[in-house]
Amino acid sequence: MSGFLKIAIRNLLKGPVTDPYPFGKTFIPNKLRGKLKVDPKACTACGTCEEVCPSGAIHITKNENVYVHTTWYNTCCFCGNCEFFCPTGAIKLTNDFHTANTEEEKYRFTTVALISEIKCESCGEMFVPASEALLKRAYPNVNDTIRELTKLCPKCRRKKAFERLYQ
Amino acid sequence: MSTKIPIGPFHIGLEEPIYFKIDLEGETVKNVDMINGFVHRGIEYLAMQKNFFQNLILTERVCSLCSNNHPFTYVMAVEKIAGIEVSRRANYLRVVADEVKRIASHMFNLSMLAHLIGFHSLMTQTMEAREIMQDIKESIWGNRMDMSANTISGVKYDLDEGQIEYILKRLDELEPQVDEIIDIYFNHKIVKARTVGVGVLPKEDALRLGVTGPTARGSGVNNDVRVKAPYAAYDELKVNVILEEGGDVHARTKVRWREVKESIRLVREAITNLPEGPVVLDKRPHIPAGEAVTRSEAPRGELIYYLKTNGAQKPERMRWRVPTYMNWEALRVMIPGNKLSDVAVIFNSIDPCISCTER
Ligand code: SF4
Ligand code: SF4
């Protein structure tokens, strides 16, 4: 009995161990997987996140000249698969875990990122350019020639790159 | 005079949805019949509708307490089919995640034991000590239960100096608490009165029924997959198998506690000797057609995965055998002859996971 008595007395002296949350502070580690943040500048609307999301929480739809990247929190299970597989690092799970919402907000409780297309400098076709983050992943050092190429649509880019070979 | 008593399927003392039909004579159980299947979720079918990357997460959701072992065994099956070599560092990191989960899972089951024998202050004390493991999981992997540590060809996380230091510090905090609580579980008269000689599973029956995990080791059967068929980094880390001879609830309790200590040692050893190298391959592999069977030692016992692929993005068939499946039948040996009030305690002592069994 003495073993447990010791613990009991120590606990009495120590006071409660539970956090007073939501009225006070609680322990929130930096790496906690909570609501996610999508950086539209880094995202290239490649659809990888949509593909690997196990619960189908991510939808990428296209409106005129802009891709809409929507994450539904009532479906998301905060697994972090999208963050891990995103080739450009555009998705980050933040440590904001406040996901209580009313039934009324059910269809509005989302994160939306807009990825707009740009006009091809050569032919005027609309397309999504490769982001800086993607270039950094693809090339050991990103120079201006490569950056110039991102302003062209895939078709014109191919043409230009081919021409360069024979100049 | 004999009476029939139903316990379950949803009963406060059981914690899991299962139905016991009990024949009583006086206070003693004469016979028991068990019926399950109340929470079937069709996950095996669902796994065939999802691609290999989605299944990393789906398999993790089969059960929250063995939630690391399911994707772990699943990725080993995928890697076997695709012929992928995992780096040494990734293998060590897999072991770290797995042993952290084992400590938390065992301690949860042990605190449930304290709850079922009515020793509530002991239960809260065990849970509070376990909270250290929950903090580690949250700080390193980002979630209290589903760590999402494994991916095909490696792991999704890496440990830097600071994180290693943090884990070591928290383990140093945990270990004296564990020692203190272990003493109570092993020697306190209330615990002993409710566990010694209760729910005995003799060694012959354990062998005959093929029980797995701590249930088998509590009856003196050495079947630890980590030792018998080492995977990941277990052949380098040398696990000491914990065996007890009693075969009763007390013996299984002892096995779990001693395994908690062993796992603490393993985590320490793995993170202080982390080999250098990449944690995951750069290129996402193609999964060719093939078949594989892999197994691992989950906190509850041996977990087996069978995977069949046909070269497409999704498995053609996936099936798993979970530890509770085998341990379940042993209840027919353990329960008869005991008091009615011991049924829940005995049931808990196999560390049942209905959520895996009825996936
Ligand atoms: S967030 Fe990442 S994975 Fe998703 S579409 Fe954008 S770039 Fe692709
Ligand atoms: S965290 Fe998981 S469930 Fe949520 S959007 Fe990302 S992949 Fe989907």
Side-chain angles (χ1 to χ4, degrees):
Chain A
M1 196 70 199
S2 69
F4 203 77
L5 216 60
K6 220 168 68 197
I7 297 177
I9 291 169
R10 200 173 56 218
N11 281 348
L12 264 179
L13 296 175
K14 216 167 58 179
V17 290
T18 44
D19 284 347
Y21 191 79
F23 304 107
K25 271 219 191 108
T26 184
F27 167 66
I28 309 172
N30 288 335
K31 283 194 80 177
L32 185 84
R33 302 199 305 260
K35 279 155 75 174
L36 43 84
K37 212 160 89 194
V38 184
D39 177 4
K41 280 212 195 64
C43 176
T44 53
C46 69
T48 306
C49 50
E50 199 177 8
E51 173 82 10
V52 299
C53 175
S55 46
I58 297 179
H59 289 269
I60 301 173
T61 49
K62 194 180 177 199
N63 285 353
E64 208 166 304
N65 299 337
V66 52
Y67 284 89
V68 186
H69 183 297
T70 316
T71 313
W72 297 82
Y73 287 117
N74 282 295
T75 314
C76 176
C77 63
F78 306 101
C79 63
N81 236 17
C82 48
E83 173 176 339
F84 182 77
F85 287 109
C86 173
T88 65
I91 289 191
K92 287 273 175 293
L93 267 65
T94 65
N95 66 355
D96 173 7
F97 62 91
H98 297 96
T99 48
N101 62 300
T102 60
E103 194 66 11
E104 195 193 354
E105 298 162 315
K106 192 169 169 182
Y107 299 107
R108 276 182 276 133
F109 191 40
T110 54
T111 285
V112 178
L114 302 177
I115 302 105
S116 28
E117 291 183 309
I118 60 163
K119 222 184 206 146
C120 171
E121 282 192 344
S122 157
C123 68
E125 180 103 26
M126 299 299 285
F127 78 102
V128 178
S131 65
E132 190 73 23
L134 190 64
L135 292 182
K136 284 223 178 83
R137 223 185 117 117
Y139 300 97
N141 37 37
V142 186
N143 55 25
D144 285 342
T145 332
I146 292 170
R147 279 205 191 91
E148 275 306 304
L149 282 175
T150 64
K151 293 179 185 155
L152 300 174
C153 75
K155 241 193 208 150
C156 301
R157 192 163 68 228
R158 223 173 296 142
K159 222 168 103 200
K160 179 95 178 251
F162 191 71
E163 278 168 11
R164 270 199 317 162
L165 270 181
Y166 291 92
Q167 262 166 20
Chain B
M1 203 194 81
S2 85
T3 11
K4 285 189 194 306
I5 295 233
I7 302 186
F10 300 99
H11 184 278
I12 37 162
L14 283 184
E15 318 285 343
E16 298 267 14
I18 169 169
Y19 178 32
F20 288 98
K21 274 202 248 176
I22 293 175
D23 286 340
L24 272 186
E25 214 165 274
E27 265 286 291
T28 313
V29 180
K30 278 281 153 249
N31 204 357
V32 62
D33 196 11
M34 298 160 309
I35 300 164
N36 65 338
F38 298 99
V39 288
H40 185 69
R41 290 172 294 164
I43 293 189
E44 273 181 7
Y45 180 75
L46 201 53
M48 293 186 277
Q49 320 299 316
K50 305 241 170 216
N51 63 39
F52 291 110
F53 301 104
Q54 292 172 314
N55 277 330
L56 287 172
I57 307 299
L58 180 69
T59 48
E60 187 155 50
R61 261 69 183 171
V62 168
C63 157
S64 59
L65 280 163
C66 337
S67 67
N68 188 60
N69 275 87
H70 284 272
F72 190 1
T73 324
Y74 159 72
V75 293
M76 285 198 294
V78 176
E79 283 156 6
K80 206 165 167 185
I81 290 176
I84 298 167
E85 274 287 330
V86 179
S87 77
R88 268 186 80 213
R89 188 179 180 88
N91 270 333
Y92 268 67
L93 289 170
R94 282 181 174 179
V95 168
V96 172
D98 213 39
E99 294 305 319
V100 165
K101 277 301 277 188
R102 191 183 317 277
I103 299 171
S105 178
H106 276 1
M107 287 181 79
F108 183 82
N109 174 262
L110 292 158
S111 76
M112 273 302 132
L113 172 87
H115 162 68
L116 289 170
I117 62 176
F119 201 156
H120 289 275
S121 39
L122 183 59
M123 170 202 144
T124 45
Q125 198 62 39
T126 314
M127 277 299 204
E128 196 196 323
R130 176 180 180 265
E131 205 55 24
I132 293 175
M133 295 320 284
Q134 300 300 86
D135 283 350
I136 292 182
K137 283 192 256 174
E138 253 185 327
S139 308
I140 305 293
W141 294 278
N143 194 300
R144 286 168 63 88
M145 293 312 273
D146 299 311
M147 312 200 294
S148 194
N150 291 289
T151 183
I152 298 166
S153 82
V155 284
K156 285 182 184 168
Y157 74 104
D158 203 356
L159 293 177
D160 59 27
E161 285 301 318
Q163 286 167 321
I164 291 174
E165 215 169 278
Y166 172 77
I167 299 179
L168 287 173
K169 196 184 103 220
R170 296 310 302 264
L171 287 180
D172 288 344
E173 227 172 283
L174 177 73
E175 198 157 23
Q177 293 194 31
V178 165
D179 287 336
E180 204 170 46
I181 307 170
I182 280 186
D183 181 46
I184 299 162
Y185 276 89
F186 281 21
N187 302 317
H188 196 283
K189 61 177 188 300
I190 297 182
V191 182
K192 277 177 112 171
R194 292 298 305 275
T195 56
V196 176
V198 172
V200 179
L201 179 71
K203 188 169 180 178
E204 310 80 69
D205 286 304
L207 286 170
R208 176 174 62 86
L209 293 163
V211 291
T212 64
T215 309
R217 295 196 282 280
S219 298
V221 179
N222 175 2
N223 63 343
D224 197 318
V225 184
R226 293 174 294 173
V227 175
K228 294 284 173 189
Y231 51 95
Y234 283 115
D235 47 349
E236 290 177 34
L237 285 165
K238 296 280 172 279
V239 183
N240 296 318
V241 182
I242 312 294
L243 289 179
E244 290 281 341
E245 298 298 328
D248 53 2
V249 176
H250 196 61
R252 292 191 276 281
T253 309
K254 278 179 150 172
V255 169
R256 291 210 176 87
W257 270 122
R258 290 175 54 204
E259 283 191 3
V260 167
K261 294 273 287 178
E262 175 69 7
S263 293
I264 294 176
R265 183 190 71 80
L266 280 172
V267 175
R268 280 207 185 110
E269 193 135 333
I271 56 177
T272 41
N273 296 315
L274 264 189
E276 291 299 318
V279 296
V280 65
L281 295 184
D282 272 343
K283 219 169 142 250
R284 256 187 276 159
H286 168 69
I287 317 298
E291 277 182 295
V293 176
T294 43
R295 54 189 188 141
S296 74
E297 180 75 23
R300 284 152 187 74
E302 181 185 37
L303 176 66
I304 304 180
Y305 262 68
Y306 165 75
L307 174 68
K308 184 169 186 218
T309 57
N310 54 9
Q313 280 287 302
K314 294 171 184 170
E316 188 179 343
R317 182 80 173 93
M318 195 147 98
R319 192 181 147 66
W320 44 102
R321 197 197 78 184
V322 300
T324 305
Y325 199 75
M326 308 307 288
N327 297 345
W328 186 259
E329 279 305 304
L331 287 175
R332 289 184 206 276
V333 179
M334 292 176 187
I335 293 178
N338 288 282
K339 297 270 180 298
L340 177 65
S341 53
D342 290 331
V343 170
V345 177
I346 298 170
F347 179 51
N348 179 70
S349 77
I350 66 164
D351 205 353
C353 179
I354 303 302
S355 141
C356 303
T357 317
E358 292 176 9
R359 53 204 175 262

